[in-house]
Amino acid sequence: MKNGTTYKAAINVAGTIEAHFQKHLVAAKANSEDELAAVPCRAVVEKLIDVSFWASLRREEGVATRISLAYLHPSQAIKPLLFEQRLPLTPKVLAKLAPGVERAGVHVGVWQDGEELYIWGTTINLPNYCFVLDVSEPGLLVVKHRRVAGLGKFINVAVLQGDSVKVVDEASGTNDDCPDMLSSLLGLNSSPLWNDPTNVLIQIAVSMRAHKRGGILLVTPSGNDRWKESVIHPLQYPVSPAFSGVADLIKLDSNVTSEIYWQNALRREVENITGLTAVDGATVINNQQELLAFGAKISRAVRSTSVEEVLMTEPVVGGTPLLMHPSRIGGTRHLSAAQFVHDQRDAQALVASQDGYFTVFSWSDTSQIVMAHRIDVLLI
């Protein structure tokens, strides 16, 4: 394929992305999984990234291009919307098409005829391990694929932002200190149940990051109130009884509740909770996703010590764990979240920054230290 690629990052990462999809396709076939997507070759990956990058820098009526491309033949999609005429895959065409297909869940189908890539229509249904390329904002592209079970957030493979390329390291989720939320985002140990608490917590994190105001979500064990030792009293916005909007949905029987109803109901309840994280202070839920309080001010517990350092990790290839003071990660929010986990070692703290960074703080029994897992590369 004669690409004429001018975006250097596309050239550098295309081979790695092809290898990722090839590896998963081989493993899926060995497990006798069906409905598997075709794997794009390196040249196709390079071309898709190059065209999408330049499209992301275009604006249509003053609005930046946001679009999702999926590499699949129309026959692999269920009830696709087919264009009568093929459209060429160019930055100009993508920018013109984007306003009509920018809603979440809509993918522009791309296939090839010889050495030429073309757009054949749109689809909301994708086969397993289908290559997806999201244009999230100007200069920001995310390569991802659908989960085998088809449930929950897509699994990110690589994030490209300008000349920066981050390839997700799946192996980073295999150690004992990895929270369930992180291993699920990496495609490891993920539950096929759409009402699994970990899958729901991921949706909460995505929504929390999306409001772009920053915030802290504390996840505490159900059945005890020890978390109150680490906040200032009186609480500004305590909730009594605990609000169980999300928790009640998790308890619904998946055999008698339709997935579409549940997803719509969950979206409303999640936004109800995550909107509160924009209020100054921390929002507190238990591990059953019951809301306990919001606007809580975190303080060091009595008889505790100040947290002096955390072990910072990011699940990307080449990422090296670093010991640092928590204030170096992002300021007051991160310092208070690290202190909370240092005091309440059976809890987790999720911190969203206004600039899009997202960090999960958890306690490591192995290393006896607070871990700071930077996971925004997995949530985009």
Side-chain angles (χ1 to χ4, degrees):
M1 181 173 291
K2 299 177 181 178
N3 285 349
T5 304
T6 53
Y7 179 37
K8 187 177 179 180
I11 302 172
N12 294 339
V13 79
T16 301
I17 292 174
E18 179 193 13
H20 171 93
F21 281 90
Q22 288 284 10
K23 180 186 73 173
H24 282 286
L25 181 64
V26 170
K29 288 181 176 178
N31 292 331
S32 300
E33 295 172 5
D34 53 8
E35 298 183 15
L36 297 175
V39 175
C41 68
R42 176 174 183 165
V44 168
V45 173
E46 183 181 316
K47 181 69 173 180
L48 286 167
I49 293 175
D50 183 68
V51 173
S52 298
F53 174 76
W54 296 114
S56 76
L57 304 183
R58 289 175 172 258
R59 291 180 174 268
E60 187 66 20
E61 297 182 348
V63 180
T65 299
R66 295 184 63 210
I67 197 168
S68 176
L69 307 183
Y71 179 75
L72 76 164
H73 190 272
S75 63
Q76 291 184 295
I78 300 173
K79 293 185 178 180
L81 186 158
L82 298 173
F83 300 156
E84 183 176 2
Q85 303 291 334
R86 296 176 177 177
L87 300 178
L89 183 68
T90 66
K92 181 178 180 179
V93 169
L94 290 182
K96 288 288 186 182
L97 188 60
V101 295
E102 65 178 8
R103 297 297 181 93
V106 179
H107 308 282
V108 173
V110 178
W111 196 244
Q112 63 186 110
D113 185 357
E115 294 187 346
E116 295 297 326
L117 293 175
Y118 65 88
I119 298 169
W120 52 257
T122 68
T123 181
I124 59 175
N125 297 290
L126 300 174
N128 295 327
Y129 293 112
C130 183
F131 174 97
V132 174
L133 178 59
D134 268 358
V135 177
S136 300
E137 59 186 54
L140 177 61
L141 311 179
V142 185
V143 178
K144 55 184 66 176
H145 65 72
R146 176 181 180 271
R147 293 169 182 262
V148 173
L151 303 171
K153 187 192 176 299
F154 281 30
I155 295 173
N156 290 2
V157 178
V159 175
L160 299 87
Q161 187 166 23
D163 59 357
S164 171
V165 179
K166 292 183 177 181
V167 178
V168 173
D169 182 7
E170 296 172 294
S172 62
T174 58
N175 62 65
D176 294 336
D177 294 324
C178 181
D180 291 341
M181 179 180 172
L182 177 54
S183 61
S184 182
L185 282 167
L186 291 168
L188 308 170
N189 306 322
S190 56
S191 171
L193 300 176
W194 40 259
N195 57 348
D196 176 75
T198 300
N199 289 341
V200 173
L201 187 60
I202 290 172
Q203 298 306 311
I204 291 174
V206 171
S207 178
M208 182 178 168
R209 182 178 180 272
H211 66 53
K212 297 182 179 180
R213 293 178 179 270
I216 302 175
L217 181 72
L218 306 177
V219 185
T220 66
S222 59
N224 71 69
D225 290 334
R226 284 197 303 271
W227 62 271
K228 292 183 178 180
E229 300 172 359
S230 296
V231 296
I232 295 175
H233 294 274
L235 289 168
Q236 190 166 6
Y237 304 108
V239 177
S240 181
F243 180 69
S244 59
V246 174
D248 289 342
L249 286 173
I250 294 175
K251 296 173 185 176
L252 290 178
D253 187 347
S254 60
N255 293 320
V256 298
T257 305
S258 74
E259 184 179 337
I260 293 177
Y261 164 80
W262 186 85
Q263 287 179 341
N264 289 333
L266 177 67
R267 187 178 300 111
R268 292 193 298 269
E269 294 294 349
V270 163
E271 290 176 355
N272 192 21
I273 297 299
T274 56
L276 299 175
T277 63
V279 176
D280 187 34
T283 298
V284 186
I285 65 174
N286 61 28
N287 53 15
Q288 301 300 316
Q289 276 75 44
E290 295 174 317
L291 176 66
L292 307 177
F294 65 97
K297 306 297 184 182
I298 298 173
S299 65
R300 180 164 60 86
V302 178
R303 295 185 299 276
S304 179
T305 58
S306 298
V307 59
E308 296 297 335
E309 61 181 12
V310 299
L311 186 60
M312 177 78 176
T313 69
E314 188 174 17
V316 297
V317 174
T320 303
L322 297 173
L323 281 172
M324 63 178 65
H325 193 273
S327 63
R328 289 181 53 197
I329 301 176
T332 305
R333 279 197 187 101
H334 297 79
L335 176 58
S336 60
Q339 183 66 56
F340 184 87
V341 172
H342 180 262
D343 296 348
Q344 307 292 330
R345 299 182 178 183
D346 50 2
Q348 293 184 36
L350 282 57
V351 181
S353 301
Q354 292 175 320
D355 52 11
Y357 294 128
F358 200 97
T359 310
V360 177
F361 291 89
S362 63
W363 177 258
S364 169
D365 286 326
T366 303
S367 303
Q368 290 293 295
I369 195 172
V370 175
M371 302 283 293
H373 309 273
R374 180 83 165 272
I375 64 167
D376 41 277
V377 70
L378 305 176
L379 295 177
I380 300 174

